[in-house]
Amino acid sequence: MNGLEPALYIVATPIGNLSDLTRRAEEVLRNADVVAAEDTRHSKLLLDHYGIKPPQMVAFHDHNELERRDAIAEKVSAGLAVALISDAGTPLICDPGFHVVDLCRESGIRVVPVPGCCAAITALSASGLPTDRFVFRGFLPVKDKALREALESLRGETATTVFYESPRRVLDTVRLMAEILGSRRLVIARELTKTFESFYDHPADEMASFLAEDPDRQRGEFVIMVAGAASPEEGEVTAEAERVLKVLLPLMPMRKAAKAAAEITGLRGNDLYEAALRLSGKES
Ligand code: SAM
């Protein structure tokens, strides 16, 4: 051991700008007995930049996580300090690590977070969108039907929603957002902390043509943030809530449908019951 308590350290690393490694993260990486990295070659660039030469480096990625997690937990149990890093940002946030953290916690092995960069939080912090409530949805589904369903679920979402997206898909995703969400405000954070860092802020139905105009705008790494739907006034039943009610009403009694719709949409059950009466033509 090199002066670090035995534990699994979950160490956040920069998302572009190498100076964004925290001093504590540097210290942990310098003193860890083992660094488990998603891509050892990629992480060596960061470690070399700081002159850090771990005694042992192991590859730990999506394809070997289940197989390697026991070995990692055993190293910590044997008294070693193991630092887990991913290619960029905070491990486990759309990155490997969940299974080993879960195993360590279950086995009473100490897990220590060493916080730092996360693309979602970095993007939100400078987006100008409300951040008092936000939903992080990671990467969108790839299959058409699931993708469409995921985006349709945003119709009634009043919190800011954050997605990660690849350059290959960003234009198509934004086009579909425009189709489903119309003029809802989008903010796209591109290449955060890097030379070409940009924030694009346009309604969904204008964002697609804005991106298409210049292929450079589709290059790099992206966080897409979708503004929340306007909160309904008290007593107001949104179009989305009516759509949910119309699906539920043929399947269950009216009170139950109103209650389920209230849970799905976050609106008041009484307002939805009134709407259900109206929709069924039973209004007094
Ligand atoms: N663990 C990372 C974190 O804490 O943000 C995320 C890893 S995930 C595999 C990679 C995705 O994060 C990218 O496809 C992109 O959507 C987003 N991302 C990472 N770095 C970024 C950057 N510098 N600018 C914009 N988005 C970034």
Side-chain angles (χ1 to χ4, degrees):
M1 203 183 73
N2 286 315
L4 261 189
E5 292 283 321
L8 175 65
Y9 293 85
I10 308 301
V11 183
T13 58
I15 55 170
N17 187 326
L18 291 184
S19 303
D20 287 336
L21 189 75
T22 69
R23 288 169 81 159
R24 181 163 167 239
E26 182 185 348
E27 204 175 296
V28 169
L29 291 173
R30 203 176 288 292
N31 292 304
D33 301 293
V34 181
V35 172
E38 197 182 354
D39 175 344
T40 51
R41 270 207 323 210
H42 174 92
S43 293
K44 270 196 182 123
L45 299 176
L46 172 75
L47 297 173
D48 284 350
H49 179 83
Y50 282 91
I52 296 171
K53 288 211 181 339
Q56 197 188 343
M57 272 194 92
V58 295
F60 187 81
H61 43 70
D62 279 335
H63 305 293
N64 70 7
E65 171 164 8
L66 283 172
E67 177 194 310
R68 291 256 161 109
R69 64 178 173 172
D70 295 288
I72 301 263
E74 276 160 25
K75 283 180 196 292
V76 182
S77 297
L80 298 182
V82 179
L84 176 72
I85 56 177
S86 62
D87 285 352
T90 303
L92 279 83
I93 306 300
C94 289
D95 269 339
F98 164 71
H99 295 290
V100 72
V101 170
D102 189 35
L103 173 67
C104 287
R105 287 244 168 257
E106 225 176 66
S107 323
I109 294 170
R110 202 168 155 223
V111 181
V112 179
V114 183
C117 290
C118 172
I121 301 297
T122 307
L124 269 175
S125 71
S127 66
L129 288 169
T131 50
D132 52 337
R133 284 187 312 122
F134 63 86
V135 181
F136 175 61
R137 303 257 311 240
F139 286 99
L140 280 157
V142 176
K143 298 226 165 89
D144 276 356
K145 186 165 174 273
L147 171 62
R148 194 169 270 279
E149 277 171 10
L151 294 182
E152 276 172 358
S153 73
L154 297 184
R155 283 208 176 109
E157 178 54 78
T158 54
T160 299
T161 303
V162 184
F163 296 102
Y164 285 164
E165 189 51 288
S166 78
R168 218 165 20 86
R169 288 163 31 112
V170 68
L171 184 57
D172 286 344
T173 298
V174 168
R175 282 189 172 132
L176 197 55
M177 283 178 169
E179 186 191 315
I180 294 172
L181 301 171
S183 60
R184 186 83 67 83
R185 181 178 171 197
L186 300 186
V187 178
I188 295 186
R190 173 179 161 250
E191 291 289 86
L192 288 161
T193 78
K194 304 186 206 176
T195 312
F196 296 108
E197 177 181 275
S198 332
F199 280 80
Y200 305 140
D201 186 342
H202 297 286
D205 50 7
E206 290 171 24
M207 186 68 92
S209 50
F210 174 81
L211 292 181
E213 256 166 39
D214 180 352
D216 281 346
R217 294 178 185 153
Q218 300 159 46
R219 296 210 168 97
E221 298 194 277
F222 295 88
V223 179
I224 305 181
M225 291 160 283
V226 182
S231 292
E233 300 287 320
E234 195 161 320
E236 183 192 348
V237 173
T238 58
E240 173 65 5
E242 283 203 1
R243 195 184 66 79
V244 170
L245 271 176
K246 280 180 190 157
V247 174
L248 297 176
L249 279 168
L251 306 174
M252 57 187 82
M254 203 179 289
R255 283 222 176 268
K256 222 172 168 185
K259 196 161 175 254
E263 263 171 43
I264 295 168
T265 60
L267 300 183
R268 282 164 24 120
N270 281 349
D271 295 335
L272 288 162
Y273 184 64
E274 298 277 318
L277 285 171
R278 180 169 40 78
L279 289 171
S280 329
K282 293 187 181 153
E283 218 172 13
S284 53

